[in-house]
Amino acid sequence: MKFYDAHNHLQDDRFAGRQGELLAVCEKAGGVRMVVNGACESDWPQVFALARENKMVLPSFGYHPWHLHERTPDWRKNLLKFLDEVPSAVGEIGLDRWKPDLSYDGQEEVFLAQLQIAAERNLPVSIHCLQAWGRLLELLQNNPRPARGIVLHSFGGAAEMVPALAKLGAYFSFPGYFLHERKLRQRETFKLVPADRLLIETDAPDQHLPEEKILHPLVAADGKPLNHPANLPAVYAGLAEFLGEKIGPLAARVEENFQRVFGGL
Ligand SMILES: [Zn+2]
């Protein structure tokens, strides 16, 4: 079986230089490609380097709302430089009204500037959204979007919003974190996602699976647990079980979807 990780952060410093080792384990586990999302100017070079070293890595460059305060006056020019350098996606970008003490000032402006770049170049874009779903829908409805689609990573919006977002070209990406018992509402929502719009992700090193489903335990230097990207098959298996589907057909469907939105990069 072939597995595609629609969203992770393999460049994360918490992996402490073990990326080569992690990629080898992913490959052994059936991983074919992973979208590695940069989050700020300081980690774009690491994402770029990983893509150079390993074909499995599909690089993605963007400013995440949690890092906006770090942006330099040249951030947009810098972003274009990376997008010009290597076939890549745009992301992780987004809107966040959930994180305590995070300012919302400037979030929409930076989000729209990046959405526009993705639309102009017809590049897939990975979107993070927490407690701003109504506003995100409005912004997507009223601005140009990439024709090949947009990826809503760890989609946790209301079930009622799925049809409107799907109409705008959205793909809905399911993380292993939603396999926790308490995430039933988020899992139920995925029953309404159109068959041709489903993606699966690890969001490694974050979004831990329930303890008993973890295939590859991993611990950071400081002793804190990390989500190993090779846990991806367990996310597929967990979702297949929840949807009452066999994992084979589900994986085939996700492969088609992944190729449709990220193909050619
Ligand atoms: Zn992410």
Side-chain angles (χ1 to χ4, degrees), residues 242-257:
F242 179 72
L243 295 176
E245 268 187 63
K246 289 220 163 67
I247 187 168
L250 179 81
R253 193 148 70 81
V254 170
E255 178 174 25
E256 264 180 47
N257 296 346

